[in-house]
Amino acid sequence: MLQPSLPIGVFDSGLGGLTVARALSDHLPNESIWYVGDTKRCPYGPRKQVEVRSFARQVGKWLAKHDIKLMVIACNTATAAAFYTLQKELPVPVIGVIEPGARAACMASRSRKIGVLATQGTVASNSYAQALHFLDASVEVTQCAAPRFVQTVEEELAHGGHMHQDWKHNPEIFDTPEVYAMVREDCAPLLNKGIDTVVLGCTHFPLLSAQIKAVLGDDVCIVDPAEETAREVKETLKRRGILAASSDAVRGVHAEPTYRFATTSDDITSFAVAGKFVFGHDLDSIEHIELSELETL
Ligand code: DGL
């Protein structure tokens, strides 16, 4: 029996998935979260699907061993490679980010011309196009791989030292001529096609959403799958009767949510600094996971 007080497990190839964990904590303030960032093996985007699938299985099993009630694959590349595998293999409900992102985009688009910005792995899998066509067979999808966006965000996270900043409140951090030139170049296939909605199909891209919006134009709707994913998680927990708040209220107990983090990175201090910049709160409890431990799972 899954208990309402158990945490939600969330995993990503690194820190970017904290954008999803953040949306979860905003929408579900009573829920505890156990977040794993496989930072040492990041990026997943350029890797083969079979390798990403095996990493996702390892992290998924690790989280499932730690008593979670639901798992969110916050990483788009891992969702593309391992969503169905993890759904079949794990003993808890599994939610990915692609289907919610596609749904939000379909709902927002009036022209039915939708752009997808993602990693090479996600684009190659065609998962967003399939999810979009499943929801609306008439949509025209243009997919763009933008691996340089991941690199740019990673470099900023690693060296920016944004100890007291927050990407949501400091979008100007990425306001440089180099970033604009890169965004203009990589988004070129999305221009002049009547596209009115673009899905940010990679955890890192919301950090560049101000720059992406400036290039694509104000009338293009930018969809961050994190928000819709958080709504789906809420609805799933509610329907299964395992939403923390409602169950606690029934019992008259109110437990404070706890946030725990684990990473395969050897540098916990950098994970904490960059993590706070992405998550918006201190990462108080961080533990290290040895890759050798994951590889035995
Ligand atoms: N987390 C990945 C995603 O959302 C981006 C970073 C990576 O390539 O690992 O696709």
Side-chain angles (χ1 to χ4, degrees), residues 15 24 31 44 67 98 124 131 148 158 171 180 195 197 224 234 255-256 283 285:
L15 287 155
L24 288 171
E31 298 295 338
Y44 281 7
D67 277 347
I98 292 183
R148 291 194 297 172
Y180 276 106
I195 289 171
T197 305
D224 176 358
K234 187 173 184 175
E256 282 298 315
L283 274 55
S285 156

Side-chain angles (χ1 to χ4, degrees), residues 2-4 235-244 246-247:
L2 297 172
Q3 295 300 323
E235 199 51 37
T236 306
L237 294 176
K238 217 196 267 178
R239 287 182 190 216
R240 293 188 186 223
I242 49 173
L243 194 63
S246 59
S247 310

Side-chain angles (χ1 to χ4, degrees), residues 116-132:
V116 177
L117 280 167
T119 63
Q120 308 97 301
T122 302
V123 168
S125 75
N126 215 29
S127 301
Y128 265 104
Q130 282 165 3
L132 286 162

